Structures are given as structure tokens and as C-alpha cells.
Amino acid sequence: MQSSNHRLRDMEQHHPLLSAGADVETGSLAAGVMVGGPHAVHTAGNRTLWFIQDSCGMVCATMTWFLVLYAEFVVNFVMLLPAKNFWYSLLNGATFNSFAVLALASHLRTMLTDPGAVPKGNATKEYMESLQLKPGEVIYKCPKCCSIKPERAHHCSICKRCIRKMDHHCPWVNNCVGEKNQRFFVLFTMYIALISAHALGLSGMHFFTCVKVQWNECSDFSPGVSVLLLIFLCLEAILFLTFTAVMFGTQIHSICNDETEIERLKNEKPTWERRVRWDGMKAVFGGPPSLLWCNPFTGLRLRRLLLSTYGRRGGSEFSV
């Protein structure tokens, strides 16, 4: 379809432009308005809470929390509290629990942050005229969500939205990893890897200590129960450490090369100006290197969370 001002090119298949009276909701990309289908509830601005109602994702996210809390239980009640060395228990307990809180906070921020969704249904004639495109300039429309597709955006079949700089959809965080939440996903993988390594170290120390003395003196639980809890914790820690360490390294490599996983797999040639190494890290984490890069609470406002209590649910995601 072509006009004197611009050409519209559909992706995958051709769809007619939505008419002015069609039942769609439009929004400004610059304003960051979250827009959904007829079953989605939304508000303008940054006061949005993003949540994907996907059964598999919600189960995986719940399992993540359960496994982290299980690790906290074993570390605190099986290994640290019965220990005779007060400072050993205090320092290790403070370190492990701090990292666990930061890991869960990073998980929540990744799951509940809009990853960079393109407004759904904004491929209207009026909206394209407002873009004031140059003659001959080509724009792309996603036929699945009827939205104008920005550069480096890809459609997610689970989120049912086009996501800017989409890296992949992760069921463990029940969300896409994209332009706006990649930082929190990197922190999540980092803190999970840290608590997994810490749990393995504590388990080794506990086994070594209990072999030299009676098992009854090492834990308030029976020897059989203690051993089973520790074995399961070690298996969980090895699995999580391997997975998250690899994922953390992959994400850092992608950020430093300014290339998402989808772009790498599709071998897409960059048509954008790459921000590599520290420029890429600054773009994702914001500002020059500082301890704030490791803080998942940065930018979190209590007032924004309180406003979320007035939201309603519906559709594949709900926002407030």
C-alpha cells in the first residue's frame, strides 16, 4: 500500500490499514503509553504495572520463588542457626539473605516491568499521517498486533505484543526480556548465581564439620532429614548456578556488542549505530558505573505501587 507521503510494508502477510472508526486503541511511543486490545486495561504515563497471564510462565515464576525460599530455609535453619560460631552464622546469614532479597526483588522488577511493548493497533491512517514521514520512507506494520513496528522490535507470541529490542521470552520471569527490563533480568541472573555459589560453599562446610562430630550436634533436624535437605539444596544450587552464570555471561556479551539474542540467531546485519562495551552497559544500566547498577530498587516509587491497587484485570496482561 503506497501513498504520496510514505509506504507501509506488512510483515509476513498483508493486512489493510485500520479505519478511523475501528475499535482500536492508539498511543504515543514517545510518551510510553501502554496500549492493549479490547480486554486490556491501561493508563497513560509511567504508572503502569505489567503482568502476563500465561499459565506456564506463572507456574515457572512461582517455582522460582519456592526454590529460593527453600534455599533460605535450609541455609538458615539447617546450617546457620544451629552453628556454634556466632559470627560465622551472622556474617553468612546477612550475606546470603541480602543476596536472596535482591534476587527476588530483581525477579519482581523483571516480571512486572513493561519490557518495551509497542502500542497495539496504532497502524491507523491518522497516526501514520501524524508521523510526517519523508516521501518514499518505508515503515513496517506487524500483522499480528496491527502496530507500527520500530527498528529492532520483534513480535512475542506469548505477550502478544511487539517488544522493542526483544532478547527472548523467559518463562522463569513470566515476561519478555527487552529494552526496559533487561537490566533487572541481568541482576536477577547475577544474584541467583551468587546465592547458588554461596549455598554450595556453606553446604560443603556443613558436611565437613558434621563428619568430624555427631550429626545431632550439627543440626536441630535428624541426620536423615538434614542429609536429604542438603542434597536437594546442592542439586538445586548446581543447576541454578550453571544456568544463571551462562545466562549472565550471555546477557553481558549481548549488551557489550549491542546485539540481542534474536538478532544473533537470525544473523541480522546491524542498520543502527552500535553502542559497544561501556556505552552499551551505560545505555542498559543508566549513567556511569556505580553501585546503583546493582540496585534493583532504583527508580521504584511507592506512590506508583499504591496506585496499582486501583487496577483491573483482563486480557493477556493487566496494567494500572
Side-chain angles (χ1 to χ4, degrees):
M1 186 171 295
Q2 183 172 346
S3 68
S4 59
N5 294 326
H6 62 271
R7 291 178 292 158
L8 178 80
R9 184 174 295 174
D10 288 341
M11 303 296 293
E12 299 177 358
Q13 59 182 347
H14 292 283
H15 279 247
L17 289 179
L18 300 174
S19 62
D23 184 18
V24 296
E25 297 162 336
T26 60
S28 170
L29 287 171
V33 179
M34 178 177 173
V35 184
H39 299 291
V41 181
H42 58 86
T43 58
N46 293 323
R47 296 179 297 183
T48 60
L49 179 65
W50 175 276
F51 184 78
I52 301 300
Q53 296 183 20
D54 174 61
S55 300
C56 176
M58 289 188 287
V59 170
C60 290
T62 303
M63 286 180 57
T64 301
W65 274 69
F66 171 77
L67 292 172
V68 172
L69 293 177
Y70 169 81
E72 287 224 66
F73 170 79
V74 176
V75 168
N76 289 319
F77 292 97
V78 178
M79 290 188 281
L80 296 182
L81 288 180
K84 296 180 180 180
N85 190 323
F86 172 77
W87 291 109
Y88 172 83
S89 299
L90 179 63
L91 294 177
N92 281 287
T95 302
F96 185 87
N97 287 295
S98 298
F99 284 157
V101 169
L102 291 171
L104 293 177
S106 301
H107 183 271
L108 277 180
R109 294 300 301 273
T110 308
M111 182 171 61
L112 301 180
T113 299
D114 177 358
V118 178
K120 184 186 291 186
N122 66 348
T124 62
K125 191 175 297 185
E126 290 78 7
Y127 178 69
M128 285 187 294
E129 289 176 353
S130 69
L131 296 177
Q132 298 180 348
L133 301 171
K134 299 177 181 180
E137 187 173 353
V138 177
I139 57 176
Y140 293 92
K141 183 186 81 171
C142 176
K144 297 176 181 178
C145 58
C146 291
S147 61
I148 301 298
K149 214 171 184 182
E151 188 178 37
R152 306 186 70 183
H154 293 86
H155 185 87
C156 175
S157 59
I158 299 176
C159 296
K160 296 181 174 60
R161 301 289 286 273
C162 283
I163 307 297
R164 291 190 291 272
K165 288 186 66 176
M166 176 181 170
D167 188 85
H168 68 286
H169 185 95
C170 179
W172 296 104
V173 297
N174 189 32
N175 201 2
C176 276
V177 177
E179 184 178 66
K180 294 184 179 179
N181 68 346
Q182 187 176 25
R183 167 193 177 180
F184 302 122
F185 181 75
V186 172
L187 292 180
F188 168 67
T189 57
M190 182 183 73
Y191 287 124
I192 290 294
L194 287 175
I195 65 174
S196 298
H198 195 183
L200 279 175
L202 290 175
S203 298
M205 287 290 296
H206 193 74
F207 273 116
F208 179 76
T209 302
C210 292
V211 166
K212 297 193 301 182
V213 298
Q214 294 294 327
W215 275 91
N216 292 331
E217 300 178 9
C218 290
S219 175
D220 296 334
F221 295 87
S222 65
V225 173
S226 298
V227 170
L228 287 176
L229 291 174
L230 289 171
I231 289 176
F232 187 78
L233 176 64
C234 289
L235 293 175
E236 173 194 343
I238 292 172
L239 180 63
F240 270 36
L241 175 60
T242 304
F243 175 76
T244 54
V246 171
M247 185 60 69
F248 175 78
T250 302
Q251 288 292 303
I252 295 298
H253 180 268
S254 297
I255 293 172
C256 291
N257 287 279
D258 195 14
E259 182 183 45
T260 66
E261 187 65 18
I262 292 179
E263 292 165 350
R264 187 187 67 82
L265 292 174
K266 289 186 175 182
N267 198 24
E268 295 182 1
K269 295 182 179 180
T271 57
W272 59 91
E273 184 180 354
R274 279 188 166 181
R275 291 176 291 189
V276 296
R277 297 181 177 85
W278 281 113
D279 289 336
M281 295 290 288
K282 292 176 184 177
V284 172
F285 288 90
S290 70
L291 290 177
L292 292 177
W293 281 17
C294 301
N295 182 12
F297 300 102
T298 302
L300 186 64
R301 297 178 182 176
L302 181 61
R303 181 172 176 270
R304 186 185 305 175
L305 291 178
L306 293 176
L307 288 169
S308 67
T309 58
Y310 298 99
R312 301 194 307 272
R313 301 178 61 170
S316 60
E317 74 271 343
F318 69 87
S319 57
V320 294

PDB file of all heavy atoms in Angstrom, residues 143-165:
ATOM      1  N   PRO A 143       1.460  -7.687  11.357  1.00  0.00           N
ATOM      2  CA  PRO A 143       0.099  -8.146  11.070  1.00  0.00           C
ATOM      3  C   PRO A 143      -0.569  -8.833  12.250  1.00  0.00           C
ATOM      4  O   PRO A 143      -1.783  -9.034  12.236  1.00  0.00           O
ATOM      5  CB  PRO A 143       0.313  -9.140   9.917  1.00  0.00           C
ATOM      6  CG  PRO A 143       1.689  -9.668  10.136  1.00  0.00           C
ATOM      7  CD  PRO A 143       2.483  -8.514  10.695  1.00  0.00           C
ATOM      8  N   LYS A 144       0.221  -9.172  13.292  1.00  0.00           N
ATOM      9  CA  LYS A 144      -0.346  -9.897  14.422  1.00  0.00           C
ATOM     10  C   LYS A 144      -0.960  -8.976  15.469  1.00  0.00           C
ATOM     11  O   LYS A 144      -1.962  -9.312  16.096  1.00  0.00           O
ATOM     12  CB  LYS A 144       0.729 -10.780  15.061  1.00  0.00           C
ATOM     13  CG  LYS A 144       1.255 -11.847  14.110  1.00  0.00           C
ATOM     14  CD  LYS A 144       2.385 -12.646  14.743  1.00  0.00           C
ATOM     15  CE  LYS A 144       2.913 -13.693  13.763  1.00  0.00           C
ATOM     16  NZ  LYS A 144       4.050 -14.452  14.319  1.00  0.00           N
ATOM     17  N   CYS A 145      -0.334  -7.827  15.689  1.00  0.00           N
ATOM     18  CA  CYS A 145      -0.883  -6.887  16.676  1.00  0.00           C
ATOM     19  C   CYS A 145      -1.228  -5.542  16.043  1.00  0.00           C
ATOM     20  O   CYS A 145      -1.577  -4.605  16.767  1.00  0.00           O
ATOM     21  CB  CYS A 145       0.075  -6.701  17.853  1.00  0.00           C
ATOM     22  SG  CYS A 145       1.717  -6.101  17.411  1.00  0.00           S
ATOM     23  N   CYS A 146      -1.157  -5.466  14.704  1.00  0.00           N
ATOM     24  CA  CYS A 146      -1.565  -4.259  13.968  1.00  0.00           C
ATOM     25  C   CYS A 146      -0.905  -3.006  14.528  1.00  0.00           C
ATOM     26  O   CYS A 146      -1.586  -2.011  14.831  1.00  0.00           O
ATOM     27  CB  CYS A 146      -3.086  -4.109  13.973  1.00  0.00           C
ATOM     28  SG  CYS A 146      -3.920  -5.358  12.998  1.00  0.00           S
ATOM     29  N   SER A 147       0.393  -3.054  14.703  1.00  0.00           N
ATOM     30  CA  SER A 147       1.121  -1.902  15.235  1.00  0.00           C
ATOM     31  C   SER A 147       2.262  -1.550  14.296  1.00  0.00           C
ATOM     32  O   SER A 147       2.777  -2.401  13.566  1.00  0.00           O
ATOM     33  CB  SER A 147       1.668  -2.201  16.635  1.00  0.00           C
ATOM     34  OG  SER A 147       2.575  -3.288  16.591  1.00  0.00           O
ATOM     35  N   ILE A 148       2.633  -0.265  14.318  1.00  0.00           N
ATOM     36  CA  ILE A 148       3.803   0.171  13.574  1.00  0.00           C
ATOM     37  C   ILE A 148       5.039  -0.389  14.273  1.00  0.00           C
ATOM     38  O   ILE A 148       5.226  -0.208  15.472  1.00  0.00           O
ATOM     39  CB  ILE A 148       3.878   1.702  13.511  1.00  0.00           C
ATOM     40  CG1 ILE A 148       2.615   2.252  12.846  1.00  0.00           C
ATOM     41  CG2 ILE A 148       5.109   2.148  12.748  1.00  0.00           C
ATOM     42  CD1 ILE A 148       2.423   1.807  11.417  1.00  0.00           C
ATOM     43  N   LYS A 149       5.868  -1.076  13.524  1.00  0.00           N
ATOM     44  CA  LYS A 149       6.998  -1.794  14.105  1.00  0.00           C
ATOM     45  C   LYS A 149       8.257  -0.952  14.059  1.00  0.00           C
ATOM     46  O   LYS A 149       8.786  -0.679  12.981  1.00  0.00           O
ATOM     47  CB  LYS A 149       7.213  -3.093  13.331  1.00  0.00           C
ATOM     48  CG  LYS A 149       7.698  -4.257  14.174  1.00  0.00           C
ATOM     49  CD  LYS A 149       7.657  -5.535  13.366  1.00  0.00           C
ATOM     50  CE  LYS A 149       8.056  -6.708  14.249  1.00  0.00           C
ATOM     51  NZ  LYS A 149       8.074  -7.959  13.478  1.00  0.00           N
ATOM     52  N   PRO A 150       8.766  -0.524  15.219  1.00  0.00           N
ATOM     53  CA  PRO A 150      10.030   0.224  15.230  1.00  0.00           C
ATOM     54  C   PRO A 150      11.202  -0.679  14.855  1.00  0.00           C
ATOM     55  O   PRO A 150      11.086  -1.905  14.849  1.00  0.00           O
ATOM     56  CB  PRO A 150      10.154   0.710  16.680  1.00  0.00           C
ATOM     57  CG  PRO A 150       8.819   0.474  17.300  1.00  0.00           C
ATOM     58  CD  PRO A 150       8.201  -0.650  16.565  1.00  0.00           C
ATOM     59  N   GLU A 151      12.317  -0.050  14.573  1.00  0.00           N
ATOM     60  CA  GLU A 151      13.524  -0.814  14.279  1.00  0.00           C
ATOM     61  C   GLU A 151      13.925  -1.654  15.488  1.00  0.00           C
ATOM     62  O   GLU A 151      13.837  -1.215  16.639  1.00  0.00           O
ATOM     63  CB  GLU A 151      14.666   0.142  13.908  1.00  0.00           C
ATOM     64  CG  GLU A 151      15.912  -0.564  13.400  1.00  0.00           C
ATOM     65  CD  GLU A 151      17.004   0.408  12.992  1.00  0.00           C
ATOM     66  OE1 GLU A 151      17.142   1.443  13.673  1.00  0.00           O
ATOM     67  OE2 GLU A 151      17.711   0.148  12.014  1.00  0.00           O
ATOM     68  N   ARG A 152      14.334  -2.888  15.244  1.00  0.00           N
ATOM     69  CA  ARG A 152      14.807  -3.843  16.250  1.00  0.00           C
ATOM     70  C   ARG A 152      13.687  -4.386  17.132  1.00  0.00           C
ATOM     71  O   ARG A 152      13.961  -5.026  18.151  1.00  0.00           O
ATOM     72  CB  ARG A 152      15.913  -3.238  17.116  1.00  0.00           C
ATOM     73  CG  ARG A 152      17.086  -2.675  16.346  1.00  0.00           C
ATOM     74  CD  ARG A 152      18.205  -2.229  17.273  1.00  0.00           C
ATOM     75  NE  ARG A 152      18.859  -3.373  17.896  1.00  0.00           N
ATOM     76  CZ  ARG A 152      19.834  -3.255  18.795  1.00  0.00           C
ATOM     77  NH1 ARG A 152      20.245  -2.067  19.160  1.00  0.00           N
ATOM     78  NH2 ARG A 152      20.390  -4.335  19.316  1.00  0.00           N
ATOM     79  N   ALA A 153      12.424  -4.149  16.769  1.00  0.00           N
ATOM     80  CA  ALA A 153      11.306  -4.718  17.518  1.00  0.00           C
ATOM     81  C   ALA A 153      10.927  -6.063  16.916  1.00  0.00           C
ATOM     82  O   ALA A 153      11.015  -6.268  15.701  1.00  0.00           O
ATOM     83  CB  ALA A 153      10.113  -3.769  17.501  1.00  0.00           C
ATOM     84  N   HIS A 154      10.501  -7.008  17.778  1.00  0.00           N
ATOM     85  CA  HIS A 154      10.057  -8.316  17.330  1.00  0.00           C
ATOM     86  C   HIS A 154       8.765  -8.674  18.061  1.00  0.00           C
ATOM     87  O   HIS A 154       8.553  -8.243  19.207  1.00  0.00           O
ATOM     88  CB  HIS A 154      11.116  -9.388  17.591  1.00  0.00           C
ATOM     89  CG  HIS A 154      12.356  -9.218  16.774  1.00  0.00           C
ATOM     90  ND1 HIS A 154      13.401  -8.398  17.175  1.00  0.00           N
ATOM     91  CD2 HIS A 154      12.731  -9.745  15.587  1.00  0.00           C
ATOM     92  CE1 HIS A 154      14.364  -8.442  16.264  1.00  0.00           C
ATOM     93  NE2 HIS A 154      13.980  -9.250  15.294  1.00  0.00           N
ATOM     94  N   HIS A 155       7.933  -9.468  17.402  1.00  0.00           N
ATOM     95  CA  HIS A 155       6.646  -9.843  17.995  1.00  0.00           C
ATOM     96  C   HIS A 155       6.824 -11.074  18.881  1.00  0.00           C
ATOM     97  O   HIS A 155       7.473 -12.050  18.500  1.00  0.00           O
ATOM     98  CB  HIS A 155       5.621 -10.150  16.898  1.00  0.00           C
ATOM     99  CG  HIS A 155       4.251 -10.418  17.445  1.00  0.00           C
ATOM    100  ND1 HIS A 155       3.336  -9.410  17.692  1.00  0.00           N
ATOM    101  CD2 HIS A 155       3.641 -11.584  17.802  1.00  0.00           C
ATOM    102  CE1 HIS A 155       2.225  -9.942  18.165  1.00  0.00           C
ATOM    103  NE2 HIS A 155       2.387 -11.258  18.244  1.00  0.00           N
ATOM    104  N   CYS A 156       6.248 -11.028  20.083  1.00  0.00           N
ATOM    105  CA  CYS A 156       6.260 -12.160  21.005  1.00  0.00           C
ATOM    106  C   CYS A 156       4.886 -12.814  20.971  1.00  0.00           C
ATOM    107  O   CYS A 156       3.879 -12.155  21.261  1.00  0.00           O
ATOM    108  CB  CYS A 156       6.603 -11.708  22.421  1.00  0.00           C
ATOM    109  SG  CYS A 156       6.495 -13.048  23.639  1.00  0.00           S
ATOM    110  N   SER A 157       4.844 -14.087  20.658  1.00  0.00           N
ATOM    111  CA  SER A 157       3.568 -14.788  20.560  1.00  0.00           C
ATOM    112  C   SER A 157       2.931 -15.024  21.919  1.00  0.00           C
ATOM    113  O   SER A 157       1.724 -15.257  22.010  1.00  0.00           O
ATOM    114  CB  SER A 157       3.766 -16.129  19.843  1.00  0.00           C
ATOM    115  OG  SER A 157       4.708 -16.937  20.547  1.00  0.00           O
ATOM    116  N   ILE A 158       3.721 -14.980  22.991  1.00  0.00           N
ATOM    117  CA  ILE A 158       3.175 -15.191  24.337  1.00  0.00           C
ATOM    118  C   ILE A 158       2.647 -13.883  24.912  1.00  0.00           C
ATOM    119  O   ILE A 158       1.540 -13.832  25.455  1.00  0.00           O
ATOM    120  CB  ILE A 158       4.245 -15.796  25.264  1.00  0.00           C
ATOM    121  CG1 ILE A 158       4.696 -17.158  24.714  1.00  0.00           C
ATOM    122  CG2 ILE A 158       3.706 -15.958  26.685  1.00  0.00           C
ATOM    123  CD1 ILE A 158       5.821 -17.794  25.499  1.00  0.00           C
ATOM    124  N   CYS A 159       3.431 -12.817  24.804  1.00  0.00           N
ATOM    125  CA  CYS A 159       2.970 -11.498  25.262  1.00  0.00           C
ATOM    126  C   CYS A 159       1.949 -10.897  24.306  1.00  0.00           C
ATOM    127  O   CYS A 159       1.224  -9.968  24.679  1.00  0.00           O
ATOM    128  CB  CYS A 159       4.160 -10.538  25.398  1.00  0.00           C
ATOM    129  SG  CYS A 159       5.367 -11.021  26.656  1.00  0.00           S
ATOM    130  N   LYS A 160       1.921 -11.416  23.068  1.00  0.00           N
ATOM    131  CA  LYS A 160       1.003 -10.922  22.035  1.00  0.00           C
ATOM    132  C   LYS A 160       1.234  -9.437  21.751  1.00  0.00           C
ATOM    133  O   LYS A 160       0.299  -8.678  21.507  1.00  0.00           O
ATOM    134  CB  LYS A 160      -0.462 -11.166  22.426  1.00  0.00           C
ATOM    135  CG  LYS A 160      -0.817 -12.641  22.535  1.00  0.00           C
ATOM    136  CD  LYS A 160      -2.272 -12.835  22.908  1.00  0.00           C
ATOM    137  CE  LYS A 160      -2.645 -14.311  22.880  1.00  0.00           C
ATOM    138  NZ  LYS A 160      -1.855 -15.119  23.811  1.00  0.00           N
ATOM    139  N   ARG A 161       2.501  -9.045  21.809  1.00  0.00           N
ATOM    140  CA  ARG A 161       2.879  -7.657  21.541  1.00  0.00           C
ATOM    141  C   ARG A 161       4.218  -7.642  20.823  1.00  0.00           C
ATOM    142  O   ARG A 161       5.013  -8.585  20.928  1.00  0.00           O
ATOM    143  CB  ARG A 161       3.006  -6.862  22.850  1.00  0.00           C
ATOM    144  CG  ARG A 161       1.766  -6.817  23.694  1.00  0.00           C
ATOM    145  CD  ARG A 161       0.688  -5.955  23.059  1.00  0.00           C
ATOM    146  NE  ARG A 161       1.014  -4.554  23.180  1.00  0.00           N
ATOM    147  CZ  ARG A 161       0.694  -3.805  24.246  1.00  0.00           C
ATOM    148  NH1 ARG A 161       0.088  -4.347  25.286  1.00  0.00           N
ATOM    149  NH2 ARG A 161       0.985  -2.518  24.264  1.00  0.00           N
ATOM    150  N   CYS A 162       4.484  -6.558  20.108  1.00  0.00           N
ATOM    151  CA  CYS A 162       5.810  -6.310  19.581  1.00  0.00           C
ATOM    152  C   CYS A 162       6.644  -5.657  20.687  1.00  0.00           C
ATOM    153  O   CYS A 162       6.176  -4.707  21.338  1.00  0.00           O
ATOM    154  CB  CYS A 162       5.753  -5.407  18.348  1.00  0.00           C
ATOM    155  SG  CYS A 162       5.212  -6.263  16.849  1.00  0.00           S
ATOM    156  N   ILE A 163       7.842  -6.160  20.909  1.00  0.00           N
ATOM    157  CA  ILE A 163       8.700  -5.700  22.001  1.00  0.00           C
ATOM    158  C   ILE A 163       9.953  -5.065  21.416  1.00  0.00           C
ATOM    159  O   ILE A 163      10.647  -5.687  20.593  1.00  0.00           O
ATOM    160  CB  ILE A 163       9.095  -6.869  22.928  1.00  0.00           C
ATOM    161  CG1 ILE A 163       7.857  -7.629  23.404  1.00  0.00           C
ATOM    162  CG2 ILE A 163       9.907  -6.352  24.104  1.00  0.00           C
ATOM    163  CD1 ILE A 163       6.906  -6.811  24.240  1.00  0.00           C
ATOM    164  N   ARG A 164      10.246  -3.842  21.838  1.00  0.00           N
ATOM    165  CA  ARG A 164      11.453  -3.163  21.378  1.00  0.00           C
ATOM    166  C   ARG A 164      12.704  -3.844  21.955  1.00  0.00           C
ATOM    167  O   ARG A 164      12.771  -4.118  23.135  1.00  0.00           O
ATOM    168  CB  ARG A 164      11.431  -1.685  21.775  1.00  0.00           C
ATOM    169  CG  ARG A 164      10.382  -0.869  21.035  1.00  0.00           C
ATOM    170  CD  ARG A 164      10.579   0.613  21.281  1.00  0.00           C
ATOM    171  NE  ARG A 164      10.281   0.978  22.649  1.00  0.00           N
ATOM    172  CZ  ARG A 164       9.060   1.308  23.075  1.00  0.00           C
ATOM    173  NH1 ARG A 164       8.048   1.288  22.231  1.00  0.00           N
ATOM    174  NH2 ARG A 164       8.869   1.653  24.327  1.00  0.00           N
ATOM    175  N   LYS A 165      13.686  -4.102  21.080  1.00  0.00           N
ATOM    176  CA  LYS A 165      14.944  -4.761  21.441  1.00  0.00           C
ATOM    177  C   LYS A 165      14.678  -6.049  22.225  1.00  0.00           C
ATOM    178  O   LYS A 165      15.325  -6.322  23.247  1.00  0.00           O
ATOM    179  CB  LYS A 165      15.844  -3.826  22.240  1.00  0.00           C
ATOM    180  CG  LYS A 165      16.464  -2.706  21.424  1.00  0.00           C
ATOM    181  CD  LYS A 165      17.464  -1.913  22.243  1.00  0.00           C
ATOM    182  CE  LYS A 165      18.661  -2.752  22.620  1.00  0.00           C
ATOM    183  NZ  LYS A 165      19.703  -1.974  23.344  1.00  0.00           N
TER     184      LYS A 165
END
